[in-house]
Amino acid sequence: MGAQPSDTAPHKNPTLADVAAAAGVSIATASKALSNRYDVAETTKVRVLEAAEELSFSPNLLARGLLGGRTQSVGIITSDLEGRFSLPIMMGAEGAMAADRSTVLLSNSRGNPELELQHAKALLSRRVDGLLLVGDTPEPRPPLRLQTVVPVVYVYAPSQDPADTSFVCDNAASAKLATERLIGAGRRAIVHLGGPAQSLAAIDRAEGTRLAAAAAGLELIGGAPAMGDWHETWGWSSVHRLLDEANEFDALVCGNDQIARGAMDALEARGLRVPGDVALIGFDNWSVLCADVRRPFSSVDLNLDGLGRAAIQTLITPGAPVAGIHKLSGLIVDRGSIE
Amino acid sequence: MGAQPSDTAPHKNPTLADVAAAAGVSIATASKALSNRYDVAETTKVRVLEAAEELSFSPNLLARGLLGGRTQSVGIITSDLEGRFSLPIMMGAEGAMAADRSTVLLSNSRGNPELELQHAKALLSRRVDGLLLVGDTPEPRPPLRLQTVVPVVYVYAPSQDPADTSFVCDNAASAKLATERLIGAGRRAIVHLGGPAQSLAAIDRAEGTRLAAAAAGLELIGGAPAMGDWHETWGWSSVHRLLDEANEFDALVCGNDQIARGAMDALEARGLRVPGDVALIGFDNWSVLCADVRRPFSSVDLNLDGLGRAAIQTLITPGAPVAGIHKLSGLIVDRGSIE
DNA sequence: CTGAAAGCGCTTACAG
DNA sequence: CTGAAAGCGCTTACAG
């Protein structure tokens, strides 16, 4: 009795003081033994470690964070309800963080700038070391209207302010890559079935296709990319139209996998073989459409996971992030629909 | 000079002391004015509020959390890489949290129990008020091997320990609902195209279908649910087989939307109309398969968002959560493929 | 190698 | 209505 370790109250986390008492050392020494960054006698260190283990000691990171240093956490605000694009980005980011023993604080702004601002403030109140703003379209967005002492990085949707740091997909370069691949496989009569003419992603992908064709001295069938919408039906009806109008074509670059899927179905319905008669490539590499299906097809993977990782790297690396828009190119996942 | 508000260092968050100094009051009074929970003179309150606004004061929640109360945050550990099921659950959870001015700390265990444990400890070190463990299959899982002072709730994959609290989808009840709907629409010759015979989700969905049919005095075509896998090809080939073997059927209950999609395609290929000749319903309500397509079809929505909300409610409600497995039923989203 | 003390930024009894 | 003081759980110079 007397100098005994105090009985910890039933539902309370043990503190460093409890560990120190159990090990018969001062709090300072216990702290040093645990941190492994100061000279502590080996036997003392062992005693402290055992005591900590015994008590299931879990250091209070709030206290540590309060000491002024970094909290080893970043806040991610996603604007995407569907998660179609943001999920892989988030997972990449989380993976990069976890490898660093850091944590992600997640919020969903639901595309609402007011809510985004509110969440940003809340995350900053928790003293995150940085903020990742994940958009759901490639259109540049207004910057966060908030002074922050920690860095902010925009992902997928870049900030309109060139002084900010943004990471985005290079849709044009990726489409070029896909088209070059088709041309490399001997295709000459290429059609681009694009998304909506107002969508920047659709425009960039169409332009990338056109540029790659032009570089090979080719003009797209129809004279220009055919812009429509993002749905299967557009791919389906476009192929029927092309065939009905007796267009000759041997390759289809589709603006996304849904269009590609519609096109695949139409080609099958008309008795054409892929890639025998027509080569085809989609965009987004969404497995439910291009991999996990009756007739898999090749697709451009935008490497969203890598985008998230890259953004986090930049965010948690000490020093101000490099300003400007960083574009990351995708890569082709081949499933035999090209050649 | 002298009693002037100190010039805040360039890259540092203002503290309550800064606000108090700017407003010419003590820290205690500034705190009370901001918290709005104590008697403070109206004019004083206004001065403090203005000072806080002026300095863009953002209270340090780490400090507040350190005072021993709750941190207004929960940790979510998801085991699902794909996010197919966990994303809607997470979004539901996040929504329920945000409405409460709380924050989500997110980790991904990638289905690895060791990593899960590690992440749980890390989150607990950040003193979250509770832990949500989101699985990716309905199979019961071993409980987290960790003593926690805060509540733990399992979602989607229940804990094997009945003393734990779990929230899961009621696959059987949902399949019953779907089948009853078909029967209500006058269908009598029902086929169930199920997932893998080893999958609990597939088994429950099949059993729910069988029970609903039996309750109406019907036996499933083929005598029992047909179990296969989760892919389109299985739906596609099953329908061809049924027709080749001259089975008579007027309704298809599919174990998921991919099977349903394959079945839809086969029915079309064989010249049958939906729902004219055959009614069809899928499972999961995955819009890329059942809504956003050439021929939309009805599907069971498992209300994963609601599952996430319910779990969070339980988690953040003071008092120990009710032990046991709470089952939530889905609902039918009709797109005209039933009648 | 060890420990007493100050301090991170707040909140909350407790006096006045 | 206001403020001085203690304290939440840690870390880090600073003495010894």
Side-chain angles (χ1 to χ4, degrees):
Chain A
M1 41 199 86
Q4 280 216 322
S6 66
D7 281 347
T8 327
H11 281 297
K12 193 140 176 355
N13 283 301
T15 70
L16 189 56
D18 298 325
V19 174
V25 298
S26 73
I27 294 182
T29 300
S31 172
K32 287 168 193 157
L34 256 19
S35 83
N36 212 12
R37 284 190 306 168
Y38 294 84
D39 282 333
V40 176
E42 193 56 32
T43 59
T44 309
K45 185 184 290 186
V46 171
R47 275 219 313 292
V48 172
L49 256 27
E50 282 176 358
E53 175 71 20
E54 174 66 25
L55 297 173
S56 315
F57 173 64
S58 155
N60 187 326
L61 260 32
L62 299 179
R64 199 176 283 173
L66 195 53
L67 269 323
R70 302 165 57 100
T71 56
Q72 315 289 9
S73 67
V74 307
I76 301 187
I77 306 181
T78 166
S79 67
D80 189 351
L81 276 171
E82 290 288 323
R84 172 79 182 293
F85 297 109
S86 58
L87 188 80
I89 295 173
M90 275 164 39
M91 286 305 167
E94 192 276 341
M97 289 293 287
D100 202 43
R101 305 212 137 273
S102 303
T103 295
V104 165
L105 311 211
L106 177 71
S107 295
N108 181 358
S109 70
R110 296 170 166 72
N112 176 348
E114 287 311 313
L115 200 52
E116 181 184 66
L117 190 60
Q118 200 175 305
H119 280 149
K121 286 179 179 166
L123 293 170
L124 260 11
S125 266
R126 291 180 194 274
R127 296 297 182 263
V128 292
D129 297 331
L131 230 37
L132 213 64
L133 266 25
V134 183
D136 62 350
T137 95
E139 328 280 337
R141 46 152 292 167
L144 185 70
R145 298 191 58 74
L146 194 61
Q147 292 274 53
T148 65
V149 25
V150 297
V152 176
V153 169
Y154 299 79
V155 188
Y156 202 80
S159 166
Q160 280 163 358
D161 184 343
D164 289 331
T165 301
S166 306
F167 282 81
V168 303
C169 296
D170 196 331
N171 282 302
S174 302
K176 255 179 89 175
L177 214 61
T179 308
E180 284 163 1
R181 177 71 174 272
L182 291 169
I183 293 171
R187 307 294 166 156
R188 294 281 165 247
I190 300 171
V191 173
H192 182 88
L193 297 179
Q198 318 82 263
S199 154
L200 191 54
I203 293 167
D204 285 349
R205 293 171 187 186
E207 183 60 7
T209 304
R210 197 189 64 72
L211 283 174
L218 303 172
E219 190 172 297
L220 296 180
I221 302 302
M227 308 306 280
D229 58 46
W230 290 124
H231 296 93
E232 265 190 42
T233 309
W234 161 241
W236 166 271
S237 61
S238 295
V239 165
H240 280 299
R241 177 179 45 72
L242 285 164
L243 295 172
D244 290 343
E245 295 174 356
N247 289 281
E248 304 258 328
F249 63 97
D250 60 13
L252 248 28
V253 177
C254 301
N256 75 357
D257 287 335
Q258 288 171 276
I259 298 172
R261 171 67 195 256
M264 281 289 280
D265 285 353
L267 290 170
E268 179 184 49
R270 299 292 285 255
L272 291 173
R273 317 211 61 113
V274 176
D277 299 311
V278 178
L280 175 147
I281 187 163
F283 234 100
D284 293 343
N285 196 33
W286 202 3
S287 65
V288 65
L289 289 170
C290 62
D292 226 15
V293 294
R294 266 196 306 128
R295 286 157 297 121
F297 55 84
S298 309
S299 186
V300 174
D301 189 311
L302 285 173
N303 191 16
L304 297 169
D305 186 274
L307 197 67
R309 297 193 92 82
I312 282 291
Q313 292 298 3
T314 298
L315 198 56
I316 67 183
T317 299
V322 179
I325 298 184
H326 302 79
K327 295 188 177 191
L328 265 66
S329 205
L331 39 89
I332 293 167
V333 177
D334 189 16
R335 297 192 181 82
S337 67
I338 296 175
E339 60 187 336
Chain B
M1 38 199 89
Q4 280 215 327
S6 67
D7 280 348
T8 325
H11 282 297
K12 191 139 177 355
N13 283 302
T15 70
L16 189 55
D18 297 326
V19 174
V25 297
S26 73
I27 294 181
T29 300
S31 174
K32 289 168 193 157
L34 255 20
S35 83
N36 212 13
R37 283 190 307 167
Y38 294 84
D39 282 334
V40 175
E42 192 55 34
T43 59
T44 308
K45 185 184 291 186
V46 170
R47 272 219 314 290
V48 172
L49 257 27
E50 282 175 358
E53 174 71 20
E54 173 65 25
L55 296 173
S56 316
F57 173 65
S58 157
N60 186 327
L61 260 31
L62 300 178
R64 199 176 282 173
L66 194 54
L67 269 323
R70 302 165 58 98
T71 55
Q72 314 290 9
S73 66
V74 307
I76 301 187
I77 305 180
T78 168
S79 67
D80 189 351
L81 276 171
E82 290 287 324
R84 171 82 183 293
F85 296 109
S86 58
L87 187 81
I89 294 173
M90 277 164 38
M91 285 306 167
E94 192 276 341
M97 289 292 288
D100 202 43
R101 304 210 137 276
S102 303
T103 295
V104 165
L105 311 211
L106 178 70
S107 294
N108 182 359
S109 71
R110 296 169 167 72
N112 176 347
E114 287 311 313
L115 200 53
E116 181 185 66
L117 190 59
Q118 201 175 305
H119 279 149
K121 285 177 179 166
L123 293 171
L124 260 10
S125 265
R126 291 179 194 275
R127 295 297 182 263
V128 292
D129 297 331
L131 229 39
L132 213 64
L133 266 26
V134 183
D136 62 350
T137 95
E139 328 281 337
R141 46 153 290 167
L144 185 69
R145 298 192 57 76
L146 195 60
Q147 292 273 52
T148 64
V149 24
V150 296
V152 176
V153 168
Y154 298 79
V155 188
Y156 202 79
S159 167
Q160 280 162 358
D161 185 343
D164 288 332
T165 302
S166 305
F167 281 81
V168 303
C169 296
D170 196 332
N171 281 303
S174 302
K176 256 179 88 174
L177 213 63
T179 308
E180 284 163 1
R181 177 69 176 273
L182 291 169
I183 293 171
R187 307 293 165 156
R188 293 282 165 251
I190 300 170
V191 173
H192 182 88
L193 297 179
Q198 317 83 264
S199 154
L200 191 55
I203 293 168
D204 284 349
R205 292 172 186 184
E207 184 59 7
T209 304
R210 198 189 63 72
L211 283 174
L218 303 173
E219 191 172 292
L220 296 180
I221 301 302
M227 309 306 280
D229 59 44
W230 291 125
H231 296 93
E232 265 190 42
T233 309
W234 161 240
W236 166 270
S237 60
S238 295
V239 164
H240 280 298
R241 178 179 44 71
L242 286 164
L243 295 172
D244 290 343
E245 294 174 357
N247 289 279
E248 304 257 325
F249 62 96
D250 60 12
L252 248 29
V253 177
C254 300
N256 75 357
D257 286 336
Q258 287 170 277
I259 297 172
R261 173 65 196 258
M264 281 289 281
D265 284 354
L267 290 171
E268 179 183 49
R270 298 291 284 254
L272 292 174
R273 318 211 60 115
V274 176
D277 299 310
V278 179
L280 176 148
I281 186 162
F283 234 98
D284 295 342
N285 196 33
W286 202 3
S287 66
V288 66
L289 289 170
C290 62
D292 227 16
V293 295
R294 264 197 309 127
R295 286 156 300 123
F297 55 84
S298 310
S299 186
V300 174
D301 187 310
L302 285 173
N303 192 19
L304 296 169
D305 185 274
L307 197 67
R309 298 192 91 83
I312 283 291
Q313 292 298 1
T314 298
L315 198 57
I316 65 182
T317 300
V322 179
I325 299 182
H326 301 79
K327 295 187 174 189
L328 265 67
S329 204
L331 39 88
I332 293 167
V333 177
D334 189 17
R335 296 192 182 82
S337 67
I338 298 175
E339 60 186 335

